Amino acid sequence: MKKTWLLGFGFFSISLGWALYNGFVPFFLNDYLTSTALIGFLMTIDNYFALFLQPYIGNRSDRTNTRFGRRMPYLLFGIPIAALFFALIPFHFNLITLVMFMICMNLSMALFRSPTIALMPDITPETNRTKANGIINFMGGCGAILALSVGSVLFSIEEFLPFLAVSFLFLVSLWVIFINIKENRDTIPHANTSAPKISYKNELTSQTVFLLAAIFFWFIAIQGMEALFTLYGVNELGLSKSSSAFSLAFFSLSFVVFAIPSGLLGAKYGKKNMIVTGILGLVFIFLLLNWVESVFFLRSILFVGGIFWAFININAYPFIVSTGSELSYGTRTGLYYLVSSLAAIISPPILGLLVDFFGFGLLFFAAAGSMLLALICMLKVNKTESYSPSVYKLNG
């Protein structure tokens, strides 16, 4: 658990950086662009890189063998570059340099994201991975909250201050991880073996495909709901913009609070059981949101919804890596981010199109329907909670 908290510090700084990036970079873009759609497109560059780079980098890290380990070289190379371009963003002097710094920052982040996350199952036994993922997500959530609180204060003083602070934290987190986690010493025995080239064809068993489909559908629901909720609150419920945004914060807050308990419950009752419970709970929550009559009721429901989302999200990544060989953690990490990023790209416009045709009243029915599709896919996953190395089963 000590190693997990140390690794979690890396996720804390990364989440801090992403929250700051998503919160304040649109202000820079707005100085040059009048199109909100174009600003939105530029802010999703990371998802497009994730579609192509992260599966490749994750797969390649499985086959990397250096004196620093399999994952660490990507951190040593990517994090300093990301810190550099993150710090340069507020010092842009026109739109071209701003976009260039954004692209370079996103590219460098894509170089180490999958290997960093794959470190968790590398150093954590199967029985403790949900607990570890809960700790990591808890620290990541704290980083995001800190970015929007302390980061806002620093931004109001000087716009470059929060970016320099986060860049410094990037380098500190790299130093902490590098000093305290030695792959050749800390990885569990099977992960020390130099892996052969991993075939995606072999990795995409029917179990994995159903699980990836479930991940895709629940991210369609969550990403679309979060992207359009503030507009729903204003247009459908008559809330102010600030009140609508503050209401959604209850969903994120309960996710952070219940991140670690969700991991503990997953370890005790099984990852699949907790995921299915979370899906069923969110279907009920989304349907219930259509009959909201007060702000207190709205925020209470969203708070409970965040708990169910923690049940799903905290147990999902440990479950996807457990469905394959221990030699393919990086590859499966890349696949996980591929489908979640694809959902992040297509969900807001698809749900937005449905809202354009049928009104905001359809939003939560669509989210509930996507969750039901995720449930159907999860019920097709018959994998047990343990897996033997290099053995693949075709079920369903």
Side-chain angles (χ1 to χ4, degrees), residues 197-332:
K197 184 174 182 179
I198 304 297
S199 168
Y200 278 106
K201 182 179 179 180
N202 289 336
E203 289 301 310
L204 292 174
T205 64
S206 63
Q207 298 295 284
T208 302
V209 170
F210 280 125
L211 183 51
L212 289 172
I215 292 168
F216 174 78
F217 285 123
W218 70 54
F219 272 113
I220 284 283
I222 295 298
Q223 296 281 358
M225 184 277 291
E226 290 184 334
L228 300 175
F229 177 84
T230 53
L231 292 175
Y232 173 88
V234 171
N235 292 281
E236 193 74 8
L237 302 179
L239 302 176
S240 67
K241 293 178 181 178
S242 59
S243 179
S244 184
F246 184 68
S247 296
L248 185 60
F250 282 79
F251 187 85
S252 302
L253 174 64
S254 61
F255 172 82
V256 173
V257 171
F258 281 86
I260 294 177
S262 295
L264 296 172
L265 290 170
K268 183 175 182 178
Y269 297 108
K271 295 181 280 292
K272 179 181 175 180
N273 291 333
M274 294 309 302
I275 291 171
V276 170
T277 300
I279 293 174
L280 290 170
L282 277 178
V283 169
F284 178 73
I285 289 295
F286 286 144
L287 292 176
L288 196 59
L289 282 169
N290 289 285
W291 288 275
V292 167
E293 296 181 354
S294 70
V295 174
F296 175 80
F297 189 39
L298 171 68
R299 292 172 179 173
S300 299
I301 294 173
L302 288 171
F303 187 88
V304 176
I307 298 173
F308 287 124
W309 176 230
F311 288 174
I312 298 171
N313 201 29
I314 297 304
N315 290 284
Y317 174 68
F319 198 54
I320 188 69
V321 297
S322 72
T323 58
S325 164
E326 287 90 343
L327 302 178
S328 65
Y329 292 155
T331 301
R332 289 176 168 273

Side-chain angles (χ1 to χ4, degrees), residues 25 38 82 101 108 110 116 122 130 170 204 214 248 266-267 274 281 307 312 319 335 355 378 380 389 395:
V25 170
L38 184 54
F101 293 156
S108 54
T116 302
D122 278 350
T130 56
F170 277 177
L204 292 174
L248 185 60
M274 294 309 302
I307 298 173
I312 298 171
F319 198 54
L335 289 172
V355 168
M378 275 304 301
K380 293 284 188 179
N395 297 320

Side-chain angles (χ1 to χ4, degrees), residues 1 3-4 69-71 117-129 132 181-195 318 321-322 324-329 387-389:
M1 287 298 103
K3 300 295 181 184
T4 301
R70 295 195 294 170
R71 322 296 182 189
I117 293 169
L119 259 178
M120 187 275 283
D122 278 350
I123 66 174
T124 309
E126 161 100 22
T127 53
N128 291 328
R129 284 177 194 156
I181 298 178
K182 304 296 184 183
E183 286 191 66
N184 294 328
R185 177 195 68 195
D186 297 325
T187 50
I188 47 184
H190 61 72
N192 282 322
T193 305
S194 180
V321 297
S322 72
S325 164
E326 287 90 343
L327 302 178
S328 65
Y329 292 155
Y387 202 87
S388 300

Side-chain angles (χ1 to χ4, degrees), residues 29-91:
L29 291 170
N30 195 54
D31 291 336
Y32 304 101
L33 301 171
T34 58
S35 170
T36 304
L38 184 54
I39 292 174
F41 169 76
L42 290 173
M43 289 301 297
T44 61
I45 290 174
D46 61 304
N47 290 310
Y48 290 93
F49 288 152
L51 288 179
F52 307 104
L53 265 181
Q54 289 193 27
Y56 170 75
I57 295 296
N59 177 270
R60 188 169 182 83
S61 72
D62 285 332
R63 297 181 282 119
T64 299
N65 184 20
T66 72
R67 66 189 182 94
F68 297 112
R70 295 195 294 170
R71 322 296 182 189
M72 196 63 68
Y74 297 91
L75 279 69
L76 292 171
F77 181 74
I79 292 179
I81 300 175
L84 171 63
F85 284 106
F86 198 88
L88 287 175
I89 286 176
F91 296 103

